[in-house]
């Protein structure tokens, strides 16, 4: 194979000078961007080592470079020959120099001949590569000869592209500032100069500016590399929805209801529409005419609920969107929204769960009741167990409060419904389910919808609730003639309307225990309050049963579970969705029983923990692996349990109130969607799947996509880890697509980032795909190397990442393999022509359909476990709770990336502590939102977050290929542990911790006002 | 209520990351909107509407400022540094590198604000205690990390810069 190149370029230097450099191999060779090292044989000959490669595929080639001709001052010719990729090449290059107006014109010609089987089947991509390299030589020559450059001492600049790549590849990325090497142009662009403003003479201002400037220039020593995602995020180059503004985009602002429950009498948009810059408005009437109500997940009667993307006839919560205003700018839309007039007839608001159950006021007339779902979960022989109980503990009422993990980025979407009838959503939703919700509502095919995400500023489940807004924005785009419509929720809107975690009430709980304090049975009635529209609900009415007995071995359970709607913002899954409130309940139960029976909190748990794994729960779920006892022992050791017990006694004598409490919890991951049939037997859902594609790209680099919607969980990093490990390459060589794109990421209907599943579903999909890719690569390599597949191995070689014959040094690199498949099919035998090196794998967890009648079956695949212990002190004056010490032991099976796992543990703990002590979404009796802003809601800050002592245990899951378990949600252990610690602190004052939220005010009311003891214990 | 019809634009000149920018702005334009929308520097984020979250923190004349608390017209004549101005010649600032190395970010939405607040802290106090760090960042909300690794990152940056 022969390649010829030629061209010309100018250098702003006299010809002599240019000749001088080109004729000296010692000066010329280092200008090659691929230059690695050289050894001069004599003044005209050198042995040269160059690195050649495309993308991340780098091979070393050895060349003998000979200066054949040097006719001063106008002609120079080099020849060279060498070996690369098990083949040989010869090259020659000629330079002709002319002087024109004091500049030198360089005309050049090059010729390369490649020989060898590998080169001829893989060589297709070489030409463009070679051209690029030639351009680099020219640039580097021009730079070397630029005025001011030290031509006498030409060397490869330290920080050229190649050295950076090399550092990158070898992990020796340097942190030193490179100002000495930077070209003057770059330095000028980026240097920050703080010339004081002439009018400003304040010394302090100058000082501050000076201090900032000084620290900006600070260098530092090397630090270990972080995640793949980090570079863009720490440099402000993340792309969140609000950062995206396509040309011609319009802005949507919503007029929301000031009332929790009211009939819409009339709407006047005329003044708003006449404001210059306003494109159109949309009301519920129009939406009802042109769209279909969203699919309801629940059975009758909740299936009859008519839920549209704008309120129709009635508003059902404070913040219910009534009118959309679309304008050229956000400011104009905001102004216009204030000109919309809506008249309401106010209706009584249904705020409490108790009121909702009476149906005195019905929120959705179509359904005829506020009770959207009801079912009894009964296992074992409950009444028999109660008949034989040694103790029965009765708890009137417990309550899990409404709060939200409030991702820092609110819901947002840019929707474009163009004239070709394609709908593009650039948004921050977190799963593919919205496609299935939106398409029927807008009466389009799912393939007309393109769903894209890029960076997402946290979601924690909440952003599943984005789809009504996405639908509305798409509708607005169509009405506005196909222009993109951007909607970005404000924080205040989110506080009113965005998906919050639901509230749960536990009534009339009875617990049967044997004489040793082992719980034998529980019967109870639980009611969820899901807000005004069920949306993703009533799935929460079954999801809790993934952890039905929590960490405990009781076999007899009867829970009457139901859900109601109220005039509050619609809920959405929130980190720990539905399982967390149930585990908080179970932890309250065991803790209250311990206190009532005088059994220490650790002891009663030890008597009740499940000990043998895999463990089948009374409702057929299988806890895969774990060791609660070891976790408790470790946590007790770290915090110094016995010491704290002593300190507590001592403190009491000083009038201080100290308590120590345990929270044991489970984080069930990887849903079996068949559980939805327990809610509604007509739902055609079962199991779960996640899809990944991995390919050896055209240039031999590795790229991958996964059908997930990461929001900070580091999927790019862990995906690259799995692939790199399987192929024996560095993670830097693996390029993982950022975010989700339905036109790019192969996917199924249930793909997404939710329910603690990525380490299992996502990584299993990636692993399956890379194994398939490996097999294809092996087949090709076996052919190219004329070897047996079994004799091949993967690894890094001189030629970059390669497949080689074990123990021979004979290998074929990725570039060559990619070339064979992509450019040189005729070189392949018939049986290898199907190979694409672009493979797809769908991971499907091994689930079966549950018994819907009996509500029995395996609902999730893995169970990560966490055990927290908190030591707290309650101020007897202010009732403020202070955390004195906090220990976490977590076990999520085999850990793929310890840094990321620990980060998730920290984050989940912050959400739990925030919820336990600070964060609540309260409403007044009229349904007014009382935490309408971040300032009122007060999410946990760095100031009220204690230092955490974390420890990790690993009991690998037997059900996953890698032994990993999903763990991102955490099981809300801080809520359990804080409630337990407060219980421990306050039990002797007659306080029973009944609520999951314990603000100073709530504790004050408990302690000062006193109330009827909600617990009775009967011992027989 | 209708402001947009009668709006008079006001000329302002600010230096942002070393570049002088002259623009005509609406008087009601927030500094954060000016930075994000007028200048297209979207690294500065918005996380709330009550000046609580700190995602919008930038450096104005050497001090960390929540850019949603300030009008663009008030910044006339100021020198502003945003997260985009931290990197030097393609090399991360030690704080940026430390946040990455110590997993001080997850979703990254709070990160630009965290970096700018931390920069102001280290400019004043090269060797901060944990208490100093907590005090400085009390107005920066992160919903992902539980703050543990943010503290660690700032400590790491401080010590790396000392050793240099
Ligand atoms: S956006 Fe400025 S403080 Fe939240
Ligand atoms: S990293 Fe997500 S808010 Fe801080």
């Amino acid at each position: 194979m022969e390649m010829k190149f030629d061209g010309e370029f100018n250098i702003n230097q006299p010809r002599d000078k240019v000749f001088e450099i080109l004729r000296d191999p010692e000066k010329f060779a280092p200008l090659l961007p691929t230059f690695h090292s050289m050894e001069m044989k004599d003044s005209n000959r050198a042995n040269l080592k160059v690195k050649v490669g495309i993308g991340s595929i780098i091979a070393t080639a050895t060349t003998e470079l000979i200066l054949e001709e040097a006719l001063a001052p106008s002609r120079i010719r080099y020849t060279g020959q060498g070996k690369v990729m098990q083949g040989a090449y010869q090259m020659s290059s000629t330079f002709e120099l002319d002087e024109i107006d004091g500049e030198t014109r360089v005309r050049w010609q090059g010729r390369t001949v490649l020989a060898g089987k590998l080169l001829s089947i893989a060589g297709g991509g070489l030409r463009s590569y070679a051209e690029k390299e030639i351009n680099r030589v020219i640039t580097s020559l021009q730079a070397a000869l630029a005025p001011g450059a030290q031509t006498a001492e030409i060397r490869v600049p330290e920080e050229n592209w190649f050295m950076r790549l090399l550092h990158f590849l070898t992990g020796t990325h340097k942190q030193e500032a490179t100002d000495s090497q930077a070209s003057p142009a770059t330095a000028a662009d980026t240097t920050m100069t703080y010339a004081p403003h002439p009018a400003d003479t304040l010394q302090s201002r100058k000082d501050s500016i000076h201090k900032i400037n000084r620290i900006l220039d600070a260098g530092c020593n090397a630090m270990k590399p972080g995640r793949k995602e980090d570079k863009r995020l720490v440099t402000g180059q993340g792309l969140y929805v609000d950062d995206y503004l396509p040309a011609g985009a319009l802005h949507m602002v919503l007029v929301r209801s000031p009332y929790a429950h009211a009939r819409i009498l009339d709407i006047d948009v005329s003044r708003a529409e006449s404001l210059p810059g306003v494109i159109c408005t949309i009301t519920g009437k129009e939406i009802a005419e042109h769209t279909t109500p969203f699919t309801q997940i629940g059975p009758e009667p909740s299936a009859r609920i008519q839920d549209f993307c704008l309120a129709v006839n009635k508003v059902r919560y404070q913040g219910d969107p009534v009118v959309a205003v679309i304008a050229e700018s956000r400011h104009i839309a905001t102004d216009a929204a204030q000109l919309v007039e809506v008249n309401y007839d106010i209706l009584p608001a249904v705020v409490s769960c108790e009121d909702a159950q009476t149906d005195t006021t019905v929120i959705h007339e179509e359904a005829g009741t506020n009770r959207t779902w009801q079912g009894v979960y009964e296992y074992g022989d409950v009444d028999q167990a109660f008949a034989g109980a040694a103790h029965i503990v009765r708890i009137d009422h417990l309550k899990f409060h409404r709060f939200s993990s409030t991702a820092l980025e609110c819901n947002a979407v840019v929707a474009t419904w163009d004239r070709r009838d394609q709908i593009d959503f650039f948004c921050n939703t977190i799963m593919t389910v919205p496609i299935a919700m939106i398409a029927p509502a807008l009466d389009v095919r799912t393939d007309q919808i393109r769903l894209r995400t890029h960076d997402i500023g946290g979601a924690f489940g909440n952003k599943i609730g984005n789809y009504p807004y996405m639908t509305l924005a798409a509708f607005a785009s169509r009405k506005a003639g196909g222009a993109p419509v951007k909607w970005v929720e404000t924080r205040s809107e989110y506080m009113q309307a965005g998906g919050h975690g639901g509230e749960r009430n536990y009534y009339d709980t009875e617990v049967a225990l044997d004489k040793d304090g082992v719980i034998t049975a529980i019967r109870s009635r639980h009611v969820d309050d899901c807000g005004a529209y069920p949306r993703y609900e009533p799935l929460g009415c079954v999801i809790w049963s993934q952890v039905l007995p929590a960490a405990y071995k009781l076999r007899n359970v009867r829970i009457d579970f139901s859900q109601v709607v109220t005039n509050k913002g619609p809920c959405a899954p929130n980190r720990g969705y539905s399982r967390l409130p149930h585990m908080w309940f179970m932890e309250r139960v065991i803790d209250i029983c311990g206190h009532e029976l005088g059994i220490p909190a650790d002891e009663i748990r030890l008597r009740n923990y499940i000990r043998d794994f895999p463990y089948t729960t009374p409702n057929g779920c299988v806890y895969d692996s774990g060791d609660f006892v070891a976790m408790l022992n470790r946590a007790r050791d770290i915090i110094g349990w016995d010491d704290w017990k002593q300190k507590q006694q001592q403190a009491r004598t000083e009038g201080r109130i100290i308590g120590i409490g345990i929270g044991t919890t489970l984080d069930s991951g990887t849903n079996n969607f068949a559980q939805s049939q327990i809610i509604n037997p007509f739902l055609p859902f079962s199991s779960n799947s996640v899809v990944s594609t991995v390919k050896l790209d055209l240039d031999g680099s590795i790229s991958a996509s996964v059908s997930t919607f990461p929001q900070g969980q580091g999927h790019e990093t862990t995906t690259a880890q799995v692939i790199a490990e399987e192929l024996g390459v560095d993670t830097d060589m693996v390029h993982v697509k950022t975010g989700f794109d339905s036109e790019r990421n192969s996917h199924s209907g249930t793909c997404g980032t939710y329910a603690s599943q990525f380490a299992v579903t996502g990584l299993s999909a990636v692993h399956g795909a890379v194994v398939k890719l490996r097999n294809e690569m092996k087949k090709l390599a076996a052919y190219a190397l004329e070897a047996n597949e079994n004799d091949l191995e993967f690894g890094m070689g001189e030629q970059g990442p390669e497949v080689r014959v074990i123990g021979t040094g004979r290998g074929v690199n990725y570039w060559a393999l990619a070339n064979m498949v992509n450019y040189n099919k005729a070189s392949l035998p018939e049986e290898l022509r199907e190979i694409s090196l672009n493979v797809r794998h769908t991971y499907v967890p091994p689930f079966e359909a549950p018994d819907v009648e009996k509500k029995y079956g395996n609902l999730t695949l893995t169970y990560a476990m966490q055990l927290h212990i908190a030591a707290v002190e309650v101020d007897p004056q202010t009732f403020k709770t202070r955390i004195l010490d906090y220990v976490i032991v977590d076990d999520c099976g085999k850990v793929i990336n310890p840094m990321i796992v620990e980060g998730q543990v920290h984050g989940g703990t912050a959400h739990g502590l925030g919820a336990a002590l600070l964060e609540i979404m309260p409403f007044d009796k009229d349904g007014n939102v009382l935490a309408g802003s971040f300032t009122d809601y007060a999410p946990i800050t760095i100031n009220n977050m204690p230092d955490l002592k974390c420890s990790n245990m690993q009991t690998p899951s037997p059900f996953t290929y890698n032994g990993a378990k999903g763990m991102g949600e955490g099981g809300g252990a801080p809520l359990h542990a804080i409630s337990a610690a407060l219980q421990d602190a306050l039990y002797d004052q007659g306080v029973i911790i009944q609520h999951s939220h314990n603000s100073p005010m709530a504790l004050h009311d408990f302690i000062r006002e006193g109330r009827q003891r909600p617990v009775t214990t009967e011992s027989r | 209520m209708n402001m947009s019809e009668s709006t008079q634009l006001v000329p302002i000149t600010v230096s942002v990351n070393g570049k002088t920018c002259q623009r005509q702005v609406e008087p009601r334009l927030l500094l954060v909107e000016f930075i994000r929308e007028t200048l297209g520097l979207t690294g500065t984020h918005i996380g709330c509407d009550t000046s609580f979250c700190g995602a919008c923190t930038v450096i104005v004349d050497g001090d960390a400022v929540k850019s949603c608390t300030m009008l663009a017209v008030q910044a006339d004549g100021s020198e502003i540094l945003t997260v985009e101005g931290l990197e030097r010649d393609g090399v991360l600032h030690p704080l940026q590198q430390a946040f990455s190395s110590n997993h001080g970010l997850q979703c990254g939405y709070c990160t630009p604000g965290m970096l700018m607040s931390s920069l102001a802290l280290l400019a004043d106090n090269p060797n901060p205690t944990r208490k100093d760090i907590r005090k400085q960042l009390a107005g920066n909300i992160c919903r992902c990390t539980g703050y543990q690794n943010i503290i660690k990152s700032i400590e790491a940056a401080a010590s790396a810069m000392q050793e240099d």
Side-chain angles (χ1 to χ4, degrees), chain A residues 663-797:
Chain A
T664 315
T665 204
L666 295 155
D667 183 355
S668 50
T670 304
N671 268 342
N672 179 358
F673 272 85
Q675 63 200 282
S676 62
Q677 294 173 9
I678 291 175
I679 293 300
N680 181 355
F682 298 108
L683 290 177
F685 305 143
S686 71
S687 197
N688 187 339
S689 62
V690 166
V691 188
S692 171
T693 52
V694 180
K695 67 176 169 181
L696 199 62
D697 222 308
L698 306 185
D699 63 356
S701 59
I702 305 150
S703 68
S705 74
V706 203
S707 56
T708 61
F709 295 61
Q711 318 125 25
Q713 298 92 337
H715 292 183
E716 290 168 49
T717 301
T718 40
T719 296
Q721 245 181 285
V722 167
I723 294 172
E725 193 179 306
E726 205 57 42
L727 296 178
V729 299
D730 197 277
T731 51
D732 291 328
M733 293 189 174
V734 183
H735 309 282
V736 184
K737 302 289 176 218
T738 299
F740 179 83
D741 181 344
S742 58
E743 291 194 352
R744 178 193 69 194
N745 300 41
S746 194
H747 58 277
S748 71
T750 57
C751 292
T753 296
Y754 59 93
S756 288
Q757 60 167 357
F758 181 74
V760 175
T761 56
L763 293 183
S764 296
V766 170
H767 182 255
V770 71
V771 166
K772 285 180 182 168
L773 179 68
R774 257 181 79 109
N775 292 342
E776 287 197 353
M777 291 166 74
K778 263 194 170 176
K779 283 202 179 101
L780 285 175
Y783 167 73
L785 298 167
E786 289 161 351
N788 188 313
E789 274 182 53
N790 296 331
D791 297 333
L792 299 178
E793 65 175 6
F794 284 72
M796 286 299 295

Side-chain angles (χ1 to χ4, degrees), chain A residues 408 491 934, chain B residues 32 45-57 65-69 109 139-141:
Chain A
L408 201 52
R491 175 60 58 192
F934 246 7
Chain B
V32 67
H45 298 149
I46 298 172
C48 73
D49 43 18
T50 51
S51 292
F52 189 84
C53 75
C56 63
T57 308
V65 167
K66 289 179 174 176
S67 60
C68 71
T69 56
Y109 201 78
N140 288 80
I141 299 296

Side-chain angles (χ1 to χ4, degrees), chain A residues 408, chain B residues 105-111 141-145 150:
Chain A
L408 201 52
Chain B
L105 67 150
Q106 289 180 26
C107 78
Y109 201 78
C110 69
T111 312
I141 299 296
C142 173
R143 296 260 56 187
C144 300
T145 63
I150 290 181

Side-chain angles (χ1 to χ4, degrees), chain A residues 81-103:
Chain A
Q81 53 186 338
K83 287 196 165 66
V84 68
M85 292 209 298
Q86 309 224 344
Y89 70 90
Q90 289 179 323
M91 60 75 118
S92 73
S93 32
T94 312
F95 300 91
E96 310 260 8
L97 312 181
D98 301 307
E99 192 154 292
I100 298 169
D101 300 336
E103 288 201 347

Side-chain angles (χ1 to χ4, degrees), chain A residues 101-119:
Chain A
D101 300 336
E103 288 201 347
T104 308
R105 183 180 67 187
V106 183
R107 282 178 300 155
W108 56 274
Q109 281 189 331
R111 177 173 169 270
T112 306
V113 180
L114 302 164
K117 178 180 173 195
L118 255 185
L119 280 171

